[in-house]
Amino acid sequence: RNAFDVGRLHEDEFIIHRIVSCCSTITLVNTNGYHYVQNESSIMHSINAKSRIDLTEALLLREEYFAQKRLYSLAWASLSEAKGALSEALLAEKRFEDEAICRRLLNEWRDSFRGLLRYPMSSSRDFLTCTVFFISPRLFGRIRKGHSE
């Protein structure tokens, strides 16, 4: 059963890998037919702990799914993307319960990182940034913030 998780932000991130896994055929179309309307008040434009926590949880579930399927390059990509969301959650968290959730997610992220180390990562840059995040999420966040300014 593939249904959106109720009460979650980034609900598409929780489900897309499950939907794709049910497909017998997937076709890629090389067209610019997708039109996306930017809304400045959308969750995509707000960095808050709830949004980034949900995104991190979705990406860690996706990483686990791909690792179980032995699709390690996709698992690494999911873990690398989760690193950015978790970094933003760690910077945005203000409430005590968010802090505890972020700590739990950081431990899960680190466990996943350790588990994937025996499989090659497609990008040495991603491997380096994941390693920095593993050692020091704060340092990674400062480096990332410095590059965005």
Side-chain angles (χ1 to χ4, degrees), residues 60 63 74-83 109 112-113 116 130:
L60 288 174
E63 177 278 326
L74 295 173
W76 270 116
S78 300
L79 190 67
S80 185
E81 191 174 345
K83 159 196 78 197
W109 188 95
S112 294
F113 179 79
L116 287 178
C130 282

Side-chain angles (χ1 to χ4, degrees), residues 8 26 29 33 45 49 65 70 74 79 115 125 127 146:
R8 296 288 197 158
I26 296 174
V29 179
H45 292 286
Y65 174 85
R70 296 188 171 136
L74 295 173
L79 190 67
R125 181 181 186 278
F127 181 75

Side-chain angles (χ1 to χ4, degrees), residues 56-57 59-65 67 72 75-76 78-80 82 104-119 130 134:
T56 301
E57 288 181 328
L59 292 167
L60 288 174
L61 287 171
R62 186 184 299 173
E63 177 278 326
E64 180 182 358
Y65 174 85
Y72 298 115
W76 270 116
S78 300
L79 190 67
S80 185
R104 176 183 57 80
L105 291 173
L106 179 59
N107 288 333
E108 288 178 24
W109 188 95
R110 285 179 167 152
D111 288 344
S112 294
F113 179 79
R114 284 186 201 101
L116 287 178
L117 279 175
R118 68 192 104 178
Y119 307 105
C130 282
F134 179 85

Side-chain angles (χ1 to χ4, degrees), residues 2-148:
N2 289 317
F4 285 119
D5 294 354
V6 177
R8 296 288 197 158
L9 301 175
H10 299 280
E11 61 276 351
D12 53 331
E13 299 287 353
F14 280 92
I15 195 170
I16 191 65
H17 59 279
R18 297 186 309 218
I19 292 171
V20 170
S21 72
C22 295
C23 299
S24 59
T25 304
I26 296 174
T27 303
L28 298 176
V29 179
N30 187 12
T31 182
N32 292 328
Y34 185 76
H35 181 72
Y36 183 76
V37 176
Q38 294 289 327
N39 179 348
E40 293 302 319
S41 63
S42 75
I43 63 169
M44 296 305 293
H45 292 286
S46 66
I47 297 176
N48 62 59
K50 168 75 171 136
S51 171
R52 296 309 178 217
I53 285 169
D54 279 0
L55 179 56
T56 301
E57 288 181 328
L59 292 167
L60 288 174
L61 287 171
R62 186 184 299 173
E63 177 278 326
E64 180 182 358
Y65 174 85
F66 286 138
Q68 288 174 354
K69 298 283 185 183
R70 296 188 171 136
L71 299 168
Y72 298 115
S73 64
L74 295 173
W76 270 116
S78 300
L79 190 67
S80 185
E81 191 174 345
K83 159 196 78 197
L86 183 51
S87 176
E88 290 175 355
L90 290 165
L91 291 173
E93 57 91 356
K94 301 284 186 244
R95 301 176 319 188
F96 180 74
E97 61 267 20
D98 292 339
E99 184 180 340
I101 293 168
C102 286
R103 265 195 316 259
R104 176 183 57 80
L105 291 173
L106 179 59
N107 288 333
E108 288 178 24
W109 188 95
R110 285 179 167 152
D111 288 344
S112 294
F113 179 79
R114 284 186 201 101
L116 287 178
L117 279 175
R118 68 192 104 178
Y119 307 105
M121 186 179 222
S122 58
S123 161
S124 57
R125 181 181 186 278
D126 281 346
F127 181 75
L128 178 62
T129 59
C130 282
T131 302
V132 169
F133 185 76
F134 179 85
I135 295 167
S136 175
R138 285 185 197 266
L139 176 61
F140 172 82
R142 286 185 186 135
I143 292 169
R144 186 172 185 203
K145 188 176 180 184
H147 282 278
S148 66

